[in-house]
Amino acid sequence: MLRSQEIKRFAARLQSGALGRYYEEDVARCRINFYGLKIWPDNIEYPVVFIGVRSGLEIIRLLYDYDPLKIVVVEGNEKIIKELISVLQGCERLNWSERVFFCRSMSKLEEYIVGDVIGMIRVDVEKFYWSDLLKILNTYTINYICGEFDPVDVDPMEVYRTSRDKTKRFHWRVLGMTMPLVERDKKCMYEVSVVIPSYKVLPWIDRCMSSLVDQTIESIEIIAVDDGSPDDTGKRLDEWASLYPQKVRVIHKKNGGCASARNCGLYEARGEYVAFVDADDWVDKRMFSELYRSAIMNGTDVAECGYTEYFENTGKVKNYPSTSMSVDKSEVGGLVNDPRLHLVVKPTIWRRIYRKDFLTSNSICFPEDIRRFDDLPFQFEVLSRVPKMSQIPECYYFYRQEREGQDVMVRDNRLFVHFKIFDWLHERVGVWCDTKINRYMLLCKINTHRWALSKIEKKYLFAYLRAAINDIVHYHGSIDRIELFGKILKKGGPFILAGIILISLFGPGKIPDDN
């Protein structure tokens, strides 16, 4: 392998003339793995193609390290070619004249390639011509392609999709972006799978399904799960599947609740990313195309958009754009600074896409023994584990309100399910979470219990209040008591204060059955 000290012997030549303007940059790029961690050919039997000479440093390194590797240099500037030849002539032991071939344009590359496999291609931004490169990608099997391009010249998603489908590995740098475009661990049948748990939603299912089959993203599968619905919901879903057999798949199962229906769809999903849409809601036709773009361009496991609340009885709408947590506050989208900040907000799992491998590798699913509000534990576990999340501000999801039968309309003892949820979360997350996540769980509990106390029937009010305070004190007693009660009083208000007094006088009491 060519050592850095040996490079200095011919560095003076590379630093002069037209090659010199790239030399220092190429040295720095080698040190930071600018073109990926594995910038070498997998098999020296296959040629390597450099589109654009730059300083020539990369070419010389491969010649020294991989004998008898053959290299084709695509370069139309005769002056640069002459300078590189002069440098090569001064390098010992290379036998370069039998291994390096100069091609004046990409259109003539086939004259220099024997066979149908290219081991590696490196593309310089100044020599990036997508139409010519596309012909090469469609002609040869490419083991690895890397390089840099300007998004003004071509849509980065087109480069990503083509490289994903036509090469074994790729690593693209995009001007103006910090994250490279890279291949995933495995290629999936679809880009996005959308799971729709369906139970007694016949009046609303057509609007939901029509919004999904009209999505602008082409690579999508729609998995509608009929959760043993007693009405004609399942029959109507079958009709949609017959109209769109390439997109829609229906799974009929015995009734097991929303969580079991979502898990069923998640297990069957064949997409790189998976999403969950409630059957009484609908989405903008651009939603999954733009979310997928956000996830790929930012290299994230989760991407979210804003949403709109639609009120069934009045027709009023209220928008909630996602613009508050990007890295750069001057931007309205991009990487979320800290996904864990979302742990304290109400569950909105339906406005996101999740990389399926991220969910399965962390064994994240919905708790099937919890019959309602299963989105809360799912969201908390996802956002407490996800390393990076991206967002776009547009309100692409339409969340229907005031529909009879919704969980958010519950007012009775079924709200006591929250205590099962938090017990489940402590078993799942509490064994590994740090102090910060524990504090976020406390805030999540306070917000959830405040909401429940504002909805629950009066006859259950004090029983719920006593149980909520007992739950908080029991699980979060390790937090400094002054800090703990400060958070409770600040976030919980007089209801929580009354609960503290109740427990001190009468004890925690018994939690009613939530069935």
Side-chain angles (χ1 to χ4, degrees):
M1 180 173 290
L2 189 65
R3 298 172 61 250
S4 60
Q5 296 302 313
E6 294 174 311
I7 293 175
K8 293 180 179 180
R9 295 205 305 267
F10 51 81
R13 294 184 181 182
L14 292 178
Q15 289 174 291
S16 63
L19 301 178
R21 64 189 179 117
Y22 296 108
Y23 178 75
E24 294 297 334
E25 185 178 46
D26 283 350
V27 170
R29 287 183 173 187
C30 288
R31 289 171 178 163
I32 65 171
N33 299 309
F34 185 80
Y35 295 123
L37 293 174
K38 191 178 179 182
I39 177 67
W40 61 79
D42 291 324
N43 191 326
I44 62 173
E45 293 181 7
Y46 303 128
V48 169
V49 177
F50 285 92
I51 301 177
V53 170
R54 293 187 59 83
S55 70
L57 176 62
E58 304 157 294
I59 297 171
I60 292 173
R61 292 190 67 179
L62 283 186
L63 286 171
Y64 269 109
D65 294 344
Y66 297 96
D67 187 22
L69 179 70
K70 288 182 170 49
I71 296 176
V72 179
V73 180
V74 180
E75 178 60 66
N77 190 318
E78 293 293 338
K79 180 181 179 181
I80 290 178
I81 292 176
K82 289 180 179 178
E83 286 188 11
L84 178 59
I85 290 175
S86 176
V87 174
L88 291 174
Q89 288 173 338
C91 296
E92 302 174 357
R93 310 187 314 274
L94 279 187
N95 193 24
W96 67 270
S97 61
E98 298 179 5
R99 300 169 59 196
V100 180
F101 305 89
F102 293 96
C103 175
R104 268 50 180 182
S105 69
M106 280 192 276
S107 61
K108 297 182 179 180
L109 185 62
E110 60 183 20
E111 299 177 11
Y112 299 85
I113 301 295
V114 178
D116 56 2
V117 179
I118 297 177
M120 187 185 80
I121 299 178
R122 194 274 289 139
V123 186
D124 181 42
V125 64
E126 294 183 7
K127 306 294 182 180
F128 183 95
Y129 296 99
W130 181 239
S131 58
D132 291 337
L133 195 57
L134 194 56
K135 293 177 182 177
I136 297 174
L137 290 169
N138 287 325
T139 302
Y140 299 96
T141 298
I142 312 297
N143 288 342
Y144 185 55
I145 188 168
C146 60
E148 188 177 18
F149 67 91
D150 192 324
V152 174
D153 297 332
V154 62
D155 182 358
M157 288 304 297
E158 182 177 356
V159 176
Y160 172 81
R161 287 186 169 109
T162 304
S163 301
R164 177 196 64 196
D165 297 338
K166 299 290 185 179
T167 73
K168 293 182 179 179
R169 296 187 298 117
F170 61 93
H171 190 103
W172 287 107
R173 293 282 182 171
V174 186
L175 290 182
M177 291 179 52
T178 56
M179 291 299 302
L181 298 178
V182 298
E183 81 282 355
R184 294 294 192 179
D185 295 335
K186 64 179 181 180
K187 296 178 181 179
C188 298
M189 189 175 296
Y190 298 94
E191 291 177 345
V192 176
S193 297
V194 183
V195 177
I196 310 101
S198 307
Y199 181 79
K200 295 175 66 173
V201 288
L202 189 59
W204 306 280
I205 193 62
D206 282 345
R207 186 168 192 179
C208 177
M209 294 299 294
S210 64
S211 73
L212 293 173
V213 297
D214 285 341
Q215 288 293 300
T216 56
I217 189 172
E218 294 182 3
S219 181
I220 184 174
E221 74 166 341
I222 301 162
I223 305 174
V225 183
D226 169 25
D227 189 35
S229 185
D231 62 4
D232 287 336
T233 294
K235 180 180 178 181
R236 188 70 185 119
L237 289 172
D238 288 335
E239 292 172 358
W240 277 101
S242 65
L243 289 172
Y244 299 91
Q246 302 302 319
K247 288 185 177 181
V248 179
R249 183 157 55 114
V250 180
I251 299 173
H252 299 279
K253 62 180 287 293
K254 182 187 295 186
N255 179 254
C258 186
S260 70
R262 284 170 171 160
N263 282 340
C264 178
L266 174 60
Y267 177 79
E268 293 289 335
R270 296 167 292 179
E272 181 181 0
Y273 286 81
V274 63
F276 303 94
V277 171
D278 288 346
D280 55 337
D281 299 334
W282 70 98
V283 300
D284 186 282
K285 66 180 181 180
R286 298 163 291 181
M287 177 171 171
F288 293 112
S289 176
E290 294 305 306
L291 284 179
Y292 186 72
R293 173 185 289 270
S294 175
I296 295 302
M297 297 297 289
N298 291 286
T300 58
D301 293 320
V302 177
E304 74 170 22
C305 65
Y307 67 97
T308 297
E309 286 185 345
Y310 171 79
F311 292 86
E312 182 89 350
N313 296 333
T314 63
K316 291 182 178 180
V317 297
K318 188 174 182 179
N319 294 326
Y320 295 88
S322 293
T323 57
S324 60
M325 298 180 183
S326 58
V327 171
D328 186 343
K329 293 299 182 182
S330 66
E331 298 178 359
V332 295
L335 282 171
V336 171
N337 189 30
D338 184 357
R340 292 180 295 182
L341 293 174
H342 287 253
L343 290 172
V344 299
V345 303
K346 66 180 180 181
T348 52
I349 68 164
W350 25 254
R351 61 167 167 154
R352 303 186 181 106
I353 61 173
Y354 312 84
R355 193 163 71 90
K356 186 178 179 182
D357 277 356
F358 161 73
L359 296 179
T360 55
S361 63
N362 287 286
S363 301
I364 298 175
C365 60
F366 295 88
E368 296 188 16
D369 60 330
I370 296 175
R371 300 285 293 187
R372 57 190 63 85
F373 303 122
D374 56 280
D375 49 353
L376 191 161
F378 179 85
Q379 173 172 287
F380 196 96
E381 192 169 4
V382 166
L383 298 182
S384 61
R385 287 183 179 271
V386 69
K388 288 196 305 180
M389 182 171 82
S390 58
Q391 64 182 15
I392 55 177
E394 289 81 6
C395 297
Y396 284 147
Y397 191 95
F398 295 88
Y399 179 34
R400 191 185 298 271
Q401 299 288 291
E402 302 175 329
R403 176 181 73 79
E404 184 179 351
Q406 286 180 301
D407 282 345
V408 293
M409 303 293 286
V410 171
R411 299 288 183 269
D412 55 23
N413 60 325
R414 287 174 290 178
L415 288 172
F416 283 84
V417 73
H418 288 134
F419 302 106
K420 288 185 179 180
I421 289 173
F422 288 118
D423 285 342
W424 186 88
L425 267 177
H426 278 289
E427 290 180 5
R428 296 275 296 183
V429 178
V431 295
W432 59 264
C433 73
D434 56 21
T435 303
K436 189 173 184 179
I437 292 178
N438 191 35
R439 283 176 165 82
Y440 279 130
M441 188 179 293
L442 169 61
L443 294 177
C444 179
K445 284 184 177 183
I446 294 173
N447 290 341
T448 300
H449 294 326
R450 281 186 63 189
W451 176 82
L453 288 167
S454 71
K455 301 290 185 181
I456 201 166
E457 295 173 2
K458 289 184 178 180
K459 62 181 179 179
Y460 298 110
L461 181 64
F462 287 108
Y464 189 101
L465 189 56
R466 292 166 67 181
I469 293 298
N470 184 60
D471 171 48
I472 290 173
V473 174
H474 172 72
Y475 278 117
H476 301 277
S478 60
I479 297 177
D480 180 84
R481 288 305 173 96
I482 296 177
E483 178 187 357
L484 175 62
F485 287 107
K487 288 182 183 294
I488 292 174
L489 293 174
K490 181 179 179 181
K491 296 288 184 178
F495 274 130
I496 305 296
L497 179 60
I500 296 174
I501 297 173
L502 273 174
I503 289 178
S504 64
L505 293 175
F506 304 108
K510 181 181 179 181
I511 299 177
D513 191 355
D514 64 291
N515 292 325

